[in-house]
Amino acid sequence: MVDRSKTGVLGLDTIIGGGFPAGSIILVSGGTGTGKSIFCVQFLYKGVIEFKEPGIFVALEERPKDIRRFISNFGWDLKKLEEQNKLAIIDASAARLGVPSNEKYIITKPSDVDSLITTIDNIVQKINAKRIVVDSLPALMLQYDTPIALRRELLRLGALLEDTGCTTLMTTEANGQRISKFGVEEFICHGIVNFSLSEIGAELKRNLIVLKMRGIKHSTRRYPFEITPEGIAIFPGEEAYQA
Ligand SMILES: Nc1ncnc2c1ncn2[C@@H]1O[C@H](COP(=O)(O)OP(=O)(O)O)[C@@H](O)[C@H]1O
Ligand SMILES: [Mg+2]
């Protein structure tokens, strides 16, 4: 029986039989605004609060101060966890945007897999991290101009992240039937959770499906979920529907 890394998302651990396999790499894919970033922050926040597992968030897309602000709507005080050395947010967005940063942890060359991993490794040691989030892969990978370079660096990133021993979530953009943006992300991960929006009547409904989870028997239904004031919650008992 593999150790599990509980997601902290109501209902999801039931679907995957207890949580993500500890130490695995999970791709969180879906279109923009489907809830990927909220899901990932929830995984880290609940990891600290409920399971005593420190975590690292690599912010490539949004600025750390924006993440702290929008996530405070759920009553989650990220700054407090950072001050307690239970959470570290690495600012890799400032370099991309070409703006200064006064964050504690900064990556100036996000496309350099080795410097990214060195920074992550140091923080893993420092705060005893068990969970990592990389949000998002496209923001990291758009700097590679050939598919071969992209694939090689992505494979290397996956292998190096696996060596940290942490359970890692990585987000990617995917719309419609596609699972990933570049068509290669799925090969470096042990599991895939896909988020989407479906139009039901005149309303857009959020749903998710577990497409792959290595070594685990899991449900392959598409489940509706909601973003509640307490975060993302899935209701496995509800009737599933097709996207
Ligand atoms: N406090 C909240 N309560 C309910 N829904 C929210 C809240 N904050 C954001 N959302 C919804 O979540 C969406 C953004 O989620 P996010 O995780 O940033 O998406 P993604 O990372 O997939 O682009 C918003 O477009 C909005 O619909
Ligand atoms: Mg996002």
Side-chain angles (χ1 to χ4, degrees):
M1 185 69 187
V2 260
D3 284 345
R4 299 303 181 93
S5 182
K6 286 208 176 96
T7 63
V9 172
L10 187 72
L12 182 59
D13 291 331
T14 314
I15 297 170
I16 53 177
F20 294 131
S24 63
I25 298 186
I26 309 296
L27 189 68
V28 176
S29 80
T32 184
T34 50
K36 302 184 299 296
S37 294
I38 296 174
F39 178 82
C40 288
V41 177
Q42 185 165 345
F43 174 73
L44 294 185
Y45 183 81
K46 299 286 177 176
V48 173
I49 299 291
E50 292 181 11
F51 314 117
K52 297 193 166 42
E53 294 192 355
I56 300 171
F57 189 94
V58 184
L60 283 139
E61 210 159 274
E62 292 165 290
R63 303 175 77 183
K65 60 179 181 183
D66 294 334
I67 298 167
R68 291 186 195 102
R69 196 174 51 227
F70 95 81
I71 224 68
S72 68
N73 291 333
F74 300 104
W76 302 341
D77 188 347
L78 299 186
K79 195 84 209 168
K80 189 167 146 196
L81 302 191
E82 292 175 70
E83 283 162 5
Q84 295 171 345
N85 267 337
K86 291 174 180 163
L87 174 74
I89 302 181
I90 303 177
D91 187 357
S93 67
R96 285 186 64 241
L97 296 167
V99 296
S101 168
N102 51 16
E103 291 292 327
K104 184 172 177 186
Y105 302 109
I106 302 166
I107 286 175
T108 49
K109 278 186 71 189
S111 56
D112 180 351
V113 166
D114 294 300
S115 74
L116 177 64
I117 287 292
T118 303
T119 306
I120 290 174
D121 275 341
N122 286 337
I123 304 174
V124 168
Q125 300 303 324
K126 187 174 170 191
I127 70 170
N128 196 23
K130 303 286 183 226
R131 301 174 177 221
I132 298 171
V133 166
V134 177
D135 187 19
S136 68
L137 279 180
L140 187 66
M141 293 296 157
L142 282 176
Q143 10 243 331
Y144 294 102
D145 40 16
T146 68
I148 293 169
L150 186 142
R151 190 187 166 93
R152 188 190 58 223
E153 288 307 292
L154 204 51
L155 285 170
R156 220 156 64 77
L157 177 67
L160 291 167
L161 282 170
E162 203 176 346
D163 288 347
T164 65
C166 294
T167 308
T168 301
L169 306 189
M170 302 197 282
T171 66
T172 195
E173 286 291 317
N175 285 301
Q177 294 302 308
R178 291 179 67 99
I179 293 171
S180 62
K181 187 175 181 75
F182 303 111
V184 294
E185 299 96 309
E186 52 266 48
F187 299 113
I188 64 163
C189 56
H190 310 114
I192 302 171
V193 184
N194 179 255
F195 287 67
S196 57
L197 288 164
S198 315
E199 207 171 334
I200 309 281
E203 220 184 322
L204 277 177
K205 291 279 192 187
R206 299 179 188 281
N207 50 77
L208 69 77
I209 182 166
V210 177
L211 291 173
K212 159 175 154 180
M213 204 55 65
R214 193 176 70 180
I216 292 180
K217 189 170 155 36
H218 60 87
S219 163
T220 48
R221 276 168 47 179
R222 188 173 287 280
Y223 292 96
F225 74 86
E226 280 169 32
I227 303 177
T228 76
E230 282 80 44
I232 291 183
I234 298 160
F235 305 100
E238 280 184 24
E239 201 184 326
Y241 48 80
Q242 298 299 312

